[in-house]
Amino acid sequence: MDTKAIEQHVRGILEAIGEDPDREGLRETPQRVARMYEEIFEGIQYSNHEIAQMFGKTFSSPSPEMSETAVVVKDISIFSYCEHHMALMYDMKVDVAYVPHGKVIGLSKIARICDMAAKRLQLQERLGQDIAEILSEAAGTPDVGVVITGSHSCMTARGICNVSAQTTTKTFCGAFLQDKSLQNLL
């Protein structure tokens, strides 16, 4: 990530909106924004495959019956930025489920996958697909479901300004496509 270029462009944006980037409260803003972008857009530098490799620590299933049981993690908090307006997508909750096929993934790794996939300019629909793809590879299972609900500041703080609007997306892969009982876990 080119932080020096970000600093120059943020300074230019401040000037373009009529601000004085040399005034006391704004002098360090370009540097702060560049550091923030390094953090919030960290996921841009990794492919889905690389994230799966990063967080793909698995363990053998405790029993053969485990392949008939879904693992469900709910209410994973994340945020991201809309690629259309670079506006914050916030109050996002992710529910993830998968059916193990011989191995299970560490529960904290599921939350880390969600977080890293969100650290990109995103569409909520693609974010669900990315999480499903990464988890499928990391856990070695085609059977994954992801439900995301969140607010988008491109709808709540601008345009229509509907502060109560929330968006829900559902991504189902493998057995989750047809099995309503698996879908109902989310």
Side-chain angles (χ1 to χ4, degrees):
M1 189 169 296
D2 188 345
T3 56
K4 290 298 178 197
I6 293 169
E7 289 175 24
Q8 290 172 342
H9 291 291
V10 169
R11 183 177 175 82
I13 289 169
L14 291 170
E15 291 170 346
I17 64 172
E19 274 289 354
D20 175 7
D22 293 318
R23 76 171 169 85
E24 184 179 351
L26 293 177
R27 273 189 217 123
E28 296 175 17
T29 297
Q31 294 84 2
R32 286 187 192 105
V33 171
R35 286 192 307 271
M36 179 184 76
Y37 278 11
E38 278 186 306
E39 181 180 338
I40 65 174
F41 295 131
E42 179 184 6
I44 290 172
Q45 64 185 324
Y46 302 109
S47 68
N48 285 352
H49 172 72
E50 290 168 325
I51 296 170
Q53 296 294 308
M54 232 185 306
F55 301 120
K57 176 69 175 165
T58 59
F59 306 92
S60 296
S61 293
S63 66
E65 297 82 32
M66 196 70 187
S67 64
E68 299 170 14
T69 305
V71 176
V72 182
V73 180
K74 290 190 170 201
D75 295 327
I76 300 169
S77 295
I78 62 166
F79 67 89
S80 191
Y81 287 84
C82 161
E83 68 181 32
H84 295 145
H85 300 99
M86 292 184 71
L88 183 63
M89 296 188 297
Y90 62 98
D91 289 340
M92 297 180 87
K93 296 290 184 189
V94 182
D95 298 337
V96 178
Y98 73 99
V99 178
H101 285 258
K103 56 186 177 178
V104 294
I105 190 168
L107 296 177
S108 71
K109 303 304 184 217
I110 296 171
R112 291 179 189 280
I113 287 169
C114 294
D115 181 64
M116 189 61 76
K119 289 184 172 180
R120 301 168 168 167
L121 292 173
Q122 276 287 18
L123 297 175
Q124 186 171 319
E125 300 87 342
R126 184 180 330 108
L127 178 56
Q129 293 170 347
D130 285 348
I131 292 168
E133 179 182 314
I134 295 164
L135 181 59
S136 178
E137 180 180 339
T141 178
D143 306 323
V144 178
V146 178
V147 175
I148 304 172
T149 300
S151 298
H152 296 238
S153 62
C154 53
M155 279 187 63
T156 62
R158 60 158 303 279
I160 190 69
C161 292
N162 189 317
V163 296
S164 62
Q166 288 196 314
T167 301
T168 299
T169 55
K170 298 177 181 185
T171 305
F172 298 127
C173 305
F176 282 84
L177 284 169
Q178 304 299 325
D179 190 334
K180 294 292 183 197
S181 66
L182 286 173
Q183 292 176 15
N184 290 336
L185 294 172
L186 298 166

